[in-house]
Amino acid sequence: ALRVNTSLKRLNLYSNNLRDEGAAHLADALRVNTSLEEMNLYGNNIGDEGTGLLLDALRVNVNTSLKDNSIADEGAGLLADILRVNNTLERLYLGSNYIGPEGCRLLADALRV
């Protein structure tokens, strides 16, 4: 439905235990969806692999909550790569993950102007 839906602006999949496999399916649909502006994936046990797939699909302006997942430094590095080329993202929530000092450094470097 996300592939062809042109009216959906916000998607809330809070606490559905999507994991990386579900994130991969969602990423496939998001690559062709042009209407979604905000997505909440809070509490879905999405790890670094799923994060990378989602973020690759979200190179357009979709404000995203990835709070309370399983994102570690590797996922933060993937996110940093996206942040370097995305100039429209306004909000990204990453609280309650496993991002350590190295992941924070990668994110900070990507956000430097």
Side-chain angles (χ1 to χ4, degrees):
L2 276 177
R3 291 178 190 267
V4 295
N5 186 299
T6 58
S7 61
L8 185 68
K9 301 288 184 200
R10 290 177 184 84
L11 178 63
N12 185 345
L13 292 171
Y14 172 84
S15 198
N16 278 285
N17 201 28
L18 295 176
R19 300 182 314 273
D20 288 341
E21 182 181 351
H25 294 299
L26 185 57
D28 286 342
L30 290 172
R31 281 188 183 86
V32 294
N33 180 289
T34 58
S35 65
L36 194 64
E37 296 174 357
E38 188 172 312
M39 184 170 56
N40 181 356
L41 297 174
Y42 180 115
N44 275 288
N45 201 28
I46 298 170
D48 292 335
E49 179 183 347
T51 298
L53 294 170
L54 283 169
L55 294 173
D56 185 53
L58 295 175
R59 290 184 184 260
V60 295
N61 185 22
V62 177
N63 294 308
T64 305
S65 174
L66 289 167
K67 183 178 177 186
D68 196 25
N69 280 286
S70 300
I71 302 167
D73 289 343
E74 181 182 343
L78 297 169
L79 173 58
D81 292 342
I82 299 302
L83 290 174
R84 284 185 183 91
V85 296
N86 184 312
N87 60 3
T88 58
L89 187 67
E90 295 174 358
R91 289 181 297 275
L92 179 65
Y93 302 99
L94 294 170
S96 299
N97 279 287
Y98 300 100
I99 300 170
E102 177 60 17
C104 288
R105 184 192 63 77
L106 293 168
L107 289 169
D109 288 347
L111 293 173
R112 285 197 173 90
V113 179

